[in-house]
Amino acid sequence: MASGTSRDVLGSGFRVLGRAIREQPRIFAVAVTGSVLFGLMVIASAYVVGTVVGKVVVPAIARGSVAGGTLALAAAALFGISLLRVVGIFGRRLGAGYMQYRLQAAYRRRVTRRYLELPLAWHHRNATGTLLSNANSDVEAAWYPIAPLPFAVGTLVMLVGAVVSLFLTDWALALVGLAVFPALFALNVVYSRRMAPRQARAQRLRAEVSGIAHESFDGALVVKTMGREAQETDRFAARAGELRDALIAVGKLRGVFDPMLETLPSLGTLAVLVVGAVRLRQGAIDVTELVSVAFLFTVLAFPVRAIGWVLAELPRSVAGWDRVRRVLDATGEMPYGTRTLDPGTPTPATLAFHDVHFGYEPAEAHLPGTEVLGEVSFTVPAGRTVALVGPTGAGKSTIASLAVRLVDPRAGTVTVDGVDVRELTAASLASTVALVAQVPFVFDDTVRANISLDRPGIGDDEVWAALRLAEADGFVAALPDGLDTMVGERGTSLSGGQRQRLTLARALAGRPRLLVLDDATSAVDPRVEAAILAGLRAPAGRTSVDPEHRSPTPGHGGGGAPASILVVAYRRATIALADEVIYMEHGRVLARGTHTELLATVPGYADLVTAYEQAEQEREQQHTYDEVTPLTSGLEIEVDR
Ligand SMILES: Nc1ncnc2c1ncn2[C@@H]1O[C@H](COP(=O)(O)OP(=O)(O)OP(=O)(O)O)[C@@H](O)[C@H]1O
Ligand SMILES: [Mg+2]
C-alpha cells in the first residue's frame, strides 16, 4: 500500500508541478536556463581544473618552472566560467523566486475571491480556521517545490552531461559514474520518502499549535474570567511538546542521511582515483582526464541534493494543493440573475415570501437535513414595518437570510417588488435590500470606512445622516478623531450597542428600499431603540400618526430614503411600532395581526412577550445598556474607571 500511495503522490506531485509550469512558462524557462547554464559550467570547471593540473602543475613540477602563458589562459577560463556560473545562479534564483511567490499570490487571490463567491451555505459547513489555512499555509505548501524545481531540472541535465562527458573520457570511469549517480539519486528518494510523513506531521502540529494559541487569545475573556489560564497553558504546552518531538524526529533523520549523502560522492571520488590510477598506468587516460573526473565527482554532489528537495516537498505540496482545489472547485454557487429593479425610484420595496421551505445542509452530505422553515408566507407591503416575533430557534434569522438572499429556499419563492430575488443581479439586490445582522461585524478600520464601505455616492454628509438615523451621531462626534477614529479589530474599542448602531448606519447609508433588522438594536437602550425605529419608518407607513409627528424631526435630518422594514424584535415598545406582527414557532408562521390582536388571541405570543418584558426589566435594573447620553463613548467609560 505504501509504495502505491507514494507513487500516487509522485504522480499527483508532478501534475501540480506541471500546472505551475503551464501557468508561468516564461519565468520557468528563465530559471531553467540559468540552472542548466550553472550545471554545464560545473562540468566545464572540472575539466578546466583538470587541464590546469595536467598541463600546468605537473609540467611545472617536472621542469621546476611555471608556463606563464598557459597559467594566464587557465585563470581567464576559470574566471569566465565562474562569471557564467554566477549569471546562472542569478537567473535560477530570481526565476524560481518570482515563480513561487507569483503563484502563491495568484492562488491566495483566487481562493479568497472564491470564498466571497461561495454561498453562505458553504461557509456554514467550513470552519474559519480551515479557510484561513487554505488561503495561507495550504497555498504556500502547494508551491513549495517550485523553489528548488529549476535547480533540480538543471541538475538532471547536468547529470546527463556528466555521464556523456565521462563516456567521452573513458568507459571504465563512466561505469563508476553510472554506479554512483543512481545510488546518490536513490538515496535522495529514500531520504525524502522517509522525511515526507515526518514533515507532514510537523506541519499539521504547527497549524494545531497556532490554532490553540489563536483560540486562547480570542477567548481571552472567557479564559480569564473562568480561571482557565492554567488549563489553557497546559493544552498549549502539550501540543507544543508534540511539535518539538516531531521536529526532533525530522532532525534525527537528517542526522542519519546528511552524512551519507556527503559520503557517497567522496566514495565515488575514491573509486575514480583507484580505477583511474589503473587506467593511467595502462595509458588509457592522462593526468588531465583523471583530475577532471575526480574533481567532477566532488562538485556534483551538492546539486544532486536539489532533486531530493523537490521530492521531499512533493507530498506536502500535493496535500496543500488538494485542499486549495477543494475550495476552487467547490460547487453550490448561487448564480445571480440579470434583472434589475428600477434603481431610480426611492420608494419602499415590497417583500413577499410565498410558501417558502428551507433547511440547512447537513454537515456531512449523507445525513438528512432537517427542515427549519416550512410553508412560510407573508408580505411586507411597501413602506410598512413588519415585526417578526418568536422564541429562540424559531427561524427568524433564517428568514432574514432568505430575505436578502444569503441562502435560497428549498421550495417556494422570495420576491422583492414581485421579482424572484434569484433573478436579480448582485448589484441590484445589494442596492435594494440591506440586512443588519444579529451579530454586528465591524472592520478594523475608521468609522467612516466602516459605514461608507467605499460605495459610490456615500460622502461625509451621507455618513453623518446615516449616523443620525441610527442615533449614533452623538457618540461618534465624541470620539477622539470623529469619523477618522479607528475602531479596532471587530470593533473591540466600542461597546456592544455602539457596534450595533454602526452596523445599522452602514446599512442605512446605502439607502436601501427594504431594511431587514435581525435583533439589530438589542444592546441599545429601549428608548433609543424605539427612537431609531420611529425615525426609520417611512412617512407612508405612518398614516395613523397625527401630521405633527409625521414630518421628519431635525435630528434625523430626513437622511434616509423611506424603506419597508422587516424587524426581528422582542421588546413590547418596538413590536408595538410595527404595522403587523408575524408570530412564529418551530419554523412555522402561527399567527399574524397587530400586536393588540395577537396579545388577545394567541396565548403563546402573550406568554413570550411577557417573559421578554420581565427579562428586560431585570436587565435594565442591572444597567447593562449603553449610556443613554449620546456624548459618552465606550472609550471614555474605560478611561474613567
Ligand atoms: N448554520 C446553521 N446550520 C444548521 N442549522 C442551523 C444553522 N443556523 C441555524 N440553524 C438552525 O435553524 C433553526 C433556526 O435558527 P435561527 O437562527 O433562524 O433562529 P432564530 O429564530 O433566529 O433564533 P434566535 O432568536 O436565537 O436568534 C435552529 O433550529 C437552528 O439550530
Ligand atoms: Mg436569530
Side-chain angles (χ1 to χ4, degrees):
M1 168 235 147
S3 78
T5 314
S6 48
R7 207 169 304 140
D8 289 350
V9 166
L10 226 54
S12 328
F14 285 133
R15 273 196 291 283
V16 178
L17 295 181
R19 168 181 294 268
I21 295 168
R22 277 199 302 282
E23 291 210 13
Q24 308 272 327
R26 278 193 221 133
I27 298 179
F28 183 70
V30 169
V32 167
T33 308
S35 181
V36 169
L37 180 66
F38 171 82
L40 295 180
M41 288 310 112
V42 167
I43 297 175
S45 72
Y47 280 90
V48 170
V49 168
T51 310
V52 169
V53 173
K55 300 277 178 326
V56 181
V57 179
V58 174
I61 293 168
R63 267 193 325 237
S65 71
V66 176
T70 325
L71 189 63
L73 202 67
L78 274 182
F79 182 74
I81 286 171
S82 301
L83 211 61
L84 287 177
R85 258 167 68 159
V86 167
V87 171
I89 293 174
F90 186 71
R92 160 169 60 81
R93 287 255 169 116
L94 205 65
Y98 257 95
M99 194 169 166
Q100 185 186 10
Y101 298 126
R102 272 193 178 192
L103 281 166
Q104 280 184 10
Y107 274 83
R108 279 212 178 94
R109 275 199 299 269
R110 277 184 221 181
V111 167
T112 43
R113 196 186 315 138
R114 193 85 194 111
Y115 284 159
L116 298 178
E117 285 164 3
L118 283 164
L120 207 63
W122 185 87
H123 286 271
H124 285 153
R125 296 193 301 271
N126 292 276
T128 316
T130 317
L131 302 194
L132 277 177
S133 76
N134 285 159
N136 268 318
S137 51
D138 289 338
V139 167
E140 274 174 23
W143 304 124
Y144 265 137
I146 297 305
L149 181 65
F151 200 4
V153 172
T155 303
L156 280 177
V157 173
M158 179 182 76
L159 284 182
V160 172
V163 169
V164 169
S165 67
L166 280 180
F167 269 109
L168 290 178
T169 310
D170 183 52
W171 62 266
L173 291 177
L175 288 186
V176 177
L178 281 185
V180 172
F181 297 158
L184 208 54
F185 189 77
L187 196 62
N188 265 304
V189 172
V190 173
Y191 182 27
S192 49
R193 281 223 182 131
R194 291 269 173 104
M195 190 56 111
R198 286 175 171 77
Q199 287 278 26
R201 187 174 139 76
Q203 178 74 4
R204 184 171 50 76
L205 284 167
R206 267 192 205 106
E208 283 179 23
V209 165
S210 69
I212 292 179
H214 184 265
E215 203 180 40
S216 305
F217 303 154
D218 223 28
L221 190 70
V222 180
V223 172
K224 280 186 176 303
T225 52
M226 296 296 195
R228 301 274 311 167
E229 290 96 334
Q231 287 92 329
E232 282 299 303
T233 311
D234 287 349
R235 195 157 75 101
F236 184 79
R239 211 43 63 88
E242 275 186 63
L243 176 60
R244 175 201 57 209
D245 295 341
L247 289 174
I248 289 176
V250 167
K252 276 186 186 160
L253 196 70
R254 213 169 260 163
V256 172
F257 274 86
D258 273 359
M260 286 206 275
L261 287 168
E262 293 285 328
T263 314
L264 200 58
S266 310
L267 290 177
T269 313
L270 202 66
V272 163
L273 289 177
V274 172
V275 174
V278 175
R279 300 292 287 161
L280 191 63
R281 201 170 316 137
Q282 289 170 348
I285 54 168
D286 59 17
V287 175
T288 303
E289 288 166 329
L290 177 58
V291 174
S292 300
V293 172
F295 192 76
L296 187 61
F297 270 73
T298 57
V299 290
L300 278 183
F302 178 71
V304 171
R305 302 282 288 276
I307 297 169
W309 296 333
V310 172
L311 294 177
E313 293 291 357
L314 277 190
R316 191 144 67 119
S317 159
V318 170
W321 173 249
D322 280 348
R323 291 162 60 127
V324 168
R325 204 186 44 187
R326 208 177 314 142
V327 175
L328 296 181
D329 294 350
T331 52
E333 205 171 338
M334 288 175 28
Y336 288 100
T338 51
R339 291 182 67 173
T340 54
L341 295 168
D342 182 16
T345 49
T347 52
T350 303
L351 170 75
F353 275 52
H354 307 277
D355 195 17
V356 167
H357 293 253
F358 179 81
Y360 288 98
E361 280 177 50
E364 288 163 63
H366 61 90
L367 295 173
T370 48
E371 190 168 86
V372 168
L373 294 180
E375 297 169 23
V376 172
S377 298
F378 68 88
T379 306
V380 181
R384 295 303 169 113
T385 300
V386 172
L388 205 51
V389 180
T392 178
K396 306 182 293 295
S397 296
T398 308
I399 286 184
S401 300
L402 283 160
V404 299
R405 207 184 169 218
L406 287 176
V407 290
D408 279 335
R410 274 187 189 169
T413 50
V414 177
T415 62
V416 172
D417 285 348
V419 179
D420 190 328
V421 287
R422 284 173 290 206
E423 292 175 15
L424 294 174
T425 63
S428 181
L429 196 62
S431 65
T432 308
V433 300
L435 167 72
V436 185
Q438 195 164 13
V439 182
F441 184 85
V442 176
F443 293 96
D444 182 10
D445 208 332
T446 61
V447 171
R448 179 189 290 106
N450 261 293
I451 290 169
S452 75
L453 294 184
D454 284 337
R455 284 172 289 182
I458 303 184
D460 279 8
D461 289 346
E462 286 75 16
V463 168
W464 278 116
L467 284 169
R468 270 195 297 278
L469 271 172
E471 301 277 343
D473 51 333
F475 89 81
V476 170
L479 289 172
D481 296 317
L483 288 184
D484 292 310
T485 310
M486 295 291 295
V487 291
E489 197 182 349
R490 292 180 191 217
T492 37
S493 57
L494 300 173
S495 75
Q498 289 171 338
R499 230 172 298 165
Q500 280 193 334
R501 280 177 283 166
L502 272 199
T503 51
L504 177 61
R506 176 193 297 155
L508 294 173
R511 295 179 172 242
R513 296 163 53 220
L514 169 70
L515 195 57
V516 181
L517 305 176
D518 186 0
D519 229 357
T521 40
S522 58
V524 178
D525 182 283
R527 277 153 293 181
V528 179
E529 180 184 51
I532 292 173
L533 213 64
L536 292 183
R537 285 179 32 140
R542 296 193 200 170
T543 38
S544 59
V545 182
D546 65 75
E548 230 181 310
H549 289 94
R550 209 188 301 169
S551 60
T553 57
H556 297 139
S564 317
I565 303 173
L566 177 64
V567 55
V568 175
Y570 64 95
R571 285 175 181 145
R572 191 187 280 264
T574 318
I575 299 168
L577 281 174
D579 300 297
E580 190 185 32
V581 177
I582 296 172
Y583 177 64
M584 58 183 305
E585 271 179 30
H586 302 299
R588 307 268 155 166
V589 175
L590 290 196
R592 300 165 52 165
T594 64
H595 175 58
T596 333
E597 284 166 10
L598 292 188
L599 271 184
T601 55
V602 185
Y605 178 76
D607 291 348
L608 189 71
V609 172
T610 316
Y612 276 150
E613 214 158 37
Q614 279 169 1
E616 188 70 25
Q617 276 162 5
E618 285 167 23
R619 232 179 118 178
E620 213 165 350
Q621 277 160 9
Q622 293 165 355
H623 299 293
T624 47
Y625 295 115
D626 278 3
E627 292 293 310
V628 185
T629 47
L631 277 174
T632 318
S633 76
L635 294 169
E636 285 162 350
I637 295 170
E638 277 294 311
V639 173
D640 285 350
R641 264 196 306 164

